[in-house]
Amino acid sequence: MATATTTQNKKRSEGLNPYVLLFFILVLAAVATWIVPAGQYASETKVITVIKDGVESKVSSSYTVPGSYERLPEQHGVSPGHIFTSIADGLVKAAPIIFLIIFTGGALHLLEETGAIKKVLSNISKSKRLNDFLLISIFFVVFSILGTTGIVVNSIIAFVPIGLLVAKSVGMDDKFGAALVYVAAYSGFNASIMAPMTVGLSQGLADVPLLSGLGYRMVIYIAFVVAGIIFLTIYTKKCRSKGMVRPDIVVDDSEEQTAKISLRHIITLSYSALCLVGFIFGAVEFGWGEKEMMAMFIILGVGVGILNSMSANSIATGFLKGCAGMVGGAFIVGMARAIAIVLSDGMILDTIVNAIISMMDGLPKTLSTLSMFGTAAIMHFFISSGSGEAAVLVPIFTPMGDLLEITRQTTVQTVLLGEGVVNCINPTSGILMAVLATSKIPYTKWVKFIWPLVFAWVVISILALVYAVMTNLGPI
């Protein structure tokens, strides 16, 4: 009887498998294409100037024409067979991110086999100078800077296993480990200061001077990061005070664990750090993306193997073993992409946008601003791409704001903050779901864990937008 109860409780605690959750959403999206009237906005191509590292570049972007929405004479319902082919299409379109995740597993598995990471993290966990608050602050400052500048966004998945290892070394759970990297980076990206494909694109579409309002966004960014640090510090104290640390992740105090780091370990870790820093430099200077990061992980894995005198067969076997462990988390990205494909093929995305915008008609200035913010947050569940959402909403919001005498800088900020506050709870985000699958965290448990921080971000965003309306945030 006791065994049956334990098994039942275990099943309940596992939560809903992310693939099951996304498949339910996918089926609902397909059903909606038969119920929601099909319609679309006209679109035009506009050349936008964006600034990256002080260098201006031209980006061609398709954007929505305001007031051009039309109902289509025929429904574009998605067939049951198309539901499954959309999964295949999603996997193909998300291939760069999928293989990046898989290659991350291969390289990090080889690095773990050397024992270098285990020794360093063991020393960190026993360090009296590096307390929880300092550890959290360091991760949040470093990764939030990479996130707010747009250097590391989708590729943050590659760093999540490191966060999980750090969490294990200090006796914390996987939610802490995932947050240490993913939430740290997205606390910066959600309040982006200068990411080209969110801030740059949105300002370009609204004809706002590029990177204007930098000081205003800097204050919001700092507030988001500070809120994240406080949130995770409180969570850590709560876990430690209530003895909520899982017994399977308590650090081993054996002689092997406390042994000093060898010269070979130092060389291995230095080489690995050089590879990661090299990629960040390439991303900043040359616009490197997922493809170059995949190559970097291959170079990292092979180099680590050679430095530790592994045979060619051992390197290949270890790399493939690590890749195999990441397949489940990687394929979730394609599943999430399939939802967007179904909504797009069913021609109902623009209908949803038009219906929500129609409800905002006739509202006062401040309420209109907050409604734009709320609309952007809701639409991010349907359009999980930041640049894609900007291309749809900014051209529609801009003339509405002009009529209500809301500055275009404020209008842009409603979209940026609206999509930002839901990034860390969005079940249609391939990045979030891949992070959760990699960390083996059920979506429902993650939402229960992260909602206080998301609520804090919403409050900060509302205060920032009210201030923008009251001060007529400019220059336009």
Side-chain angles (χ1 to χ4, degrees):
M1 190 77 170
T3 307
T5 307
T6 306
T7 306
Q8 212 171 26
N9 290 337
K10 188 178 178 183
K11 283 183 178 177
R12 268 198 216 107
S13 69
E14 285 175 356
L16 197 62
N17 185 291
Y19 281 97
V20 176
L21 173 62
L22 287 178
F23 187 74
F24 281 155
I25 296 172
L26 182 62
V27 171
L28 286 174
V31 171
T33 62
W34 291 96
I35 300 170
V36 178
Q40 65 178 2
Y41 285 98
S43 62
E44 292 181 3
T45 300
K46 184 175 182 179
V47 177
I48 307 296
T49 302
V50 296
I51 297 178
K52 187 171 184 180
D53 307 317
V55 179
E56 290 191 2
S57 59
K58 303 290 183 182
V59 176
S60 179
S61 178
S62 178
Y63 72 100
T64 302
V65 178
S68 64
Y69 175 80
E70 287 185 358
R71 288 274 296 272
L72 296 177
E74 295 180 2
Q75 202 69 21
H76 290 252
V78 169
S79 67
H82 190 67
I83 293 175
F84 296 96
T85 57
S86 70
I87 297 173
D89 288 338
L91 289 168
V92 171
K93 291 182 178 179
I97 298 177
I98 289 171
F99 281 104
L100 170 62
I101 297 169
I102 291 172
F103 284 13
T104 300
L108 289 181
H109 180 78
L110 287 172
L111 189 56
E112 281 186 73
E113 282 192 338
T114 66
I117 290 181
K118 188 182 288 185
K119 293 283 172 60
V120 169
L121 294 180
S122 177
N123 287 337
I124 288 174
S125 68
K126 294 174 177 63
S127 173
K128 295 179 180 178
R129 288 178 292 181
L130 193 62
N131 57 30
D132 290 332
F133 175 75
L134 189 56
L135 177 69
I136 292 166
S137 298
I138 290 170
F139 269 82
F140 264 77
V141 169
V142 172
F143 280 102
S144 69
I145 290 172
L146 295 175
T148 200
T149 52
I151 295 171
V152 173
V153 184
N154 291 347
S155 52
I156 193 60
I157 303 169
F159 297 91
V160 170
I162 296 173
L164 298 176
L165 288 170
V166 172
K168 184 176 181 180
S169 75
V170 296
M172 288 300 295
D173 60 14
D174 291 336
K175 293 193 291 292
F176 174 88
L180 203 58
V181 173
Y182 170 72
V183 177
Y186 271 73
S187 67
F189 181 70
N190 295 344
S192 182
I193 296 173
M194 59 179 69
M197 294 314 294
T198 50
V199 177
L201 178 64
S202 298
Q203 289 186 327
L205 288 169
D207 292 322
V208 173
L210 294 175
L211 300 187
S212 57
L214 189 66
Y216 171 79
R217 288 196 303 281
M218 179 75 77
V219 172
I220 300 172
Y221 157 70
I222 293 171
F224 268 48
V225 173
V226 169
I229 292 172
I230 293 171
F231 162 75
L232 202 56
T233 302
I234 291 172
Y235 175 75
T236 307
K237 286 183 178 179
K238 178 183 173 184
C239 289
R240 298 209 187 281
S241 65
K242 294 187 176 182
M244 294 167 62
V245 179
R246 290 192 343 234
D248 60 309
I249 58 175
V250 174
V251 181
D252 185 11
D253 287 323
S254 65
E255 185 180 343
E256 182 185 351
Q257 289 285 330
T258 55
K260 289 184 178 179
I261 301 171
S262 67
L263 178 60
R264 178 172 284 187
H265 288 151
I266 293 172
I267 294 171
T268 299
L269 291 172
S270 299
Y271 170 76
S272 302
L274 184 64
C275 288
L276 292 172
V277 171
F279 168 77
I280 292 171
F281 176 80
V284 172
E285 291 296 320
F286 309 114
W288 287 359
E290 287 89 353
K291 183 174 66 174
E292 288 79 11
M293 197 171 195
M294 278 187 264
M296 182 275 293
F297 275 117
I298 296 172
I299 294 168
L300 191 156
V302 172
V304 163
I306 293 172
L307 288 172
N308 287 270
S309 304
M310 295 181 186
S311 67
N313 280 350
S314 296
I315 294 173
T317 303
F319 192 87
L320 290 173
K321 186 177 179 181
C323 288
M326 298 295 279
V327 168
F331 282 179
I332 207 81
V333 181
M335 190 68 136
R337 183 70 64 89
I339 297 167
I341 291 171
V342 164
L343 291 172
S344 179
D345 290 349
M347 306 293 285
I348 64 171
L349 262 180
D350 289 356
T351 301
I352 295 169
V353 173
N354 185 64
I356 295 174
I357 299 246
S358 299
M359 292 188 288
M360 295 165 52
D361 192 30
L363 292 174
K365 186 192 290 189
T366 303
L367 280 179
S368 291
T369 301
L370 296 180
S371 295
M372 290 179 185
F373 166 71
T375 299
I378 293 169
M379 287 310 303
H380 205 51
F381 289 97
F382 300 97
I383 311 170
S384 60
S385 162
S387 57
E389 184 171 355
V392 171
L393 293 184
V394 172
I396 298 173
F397 283 178
T398 300
M400 286 176 57
D402 290 346
L403 289 172
L404 291 167
E405 297 182 344
I406 299 170
T407 64
R408 294 191 173 190
Q409 191 77 262
T410 303
T411 299
V412 165
Q413 207 60 43
T414 63
V415 177
L416 294 175
L417 290 174
E419 67 176 51
V421 295
V422 299
N423 266 326
C424 291
I425 57 169
N426 184 5
T428 61
S429 165
I431 305 304
L432 170 61
M433 298 309 287
V435 167
L436 297 185
T438 301
S439 310
K440 296 180 175 58
I441 303 170
Y443 174 75
T444 49
K445 282 191 175 182
W446 174 260
V447 172
K448 186 179 178 182
F449 160 71
I450 201 70
W451 79 261
L453 177 59
V454 173
F455 179 76
W457 284 344
V458 169
V459 171
I460 293 168
S461 299
I462 290 172
L463 293 175
L465 291 172
V466 170
Y467 170 82
V469 172
M470 291 176 64
T471 59
N472 287 317
L473 181 68
I476 295 178

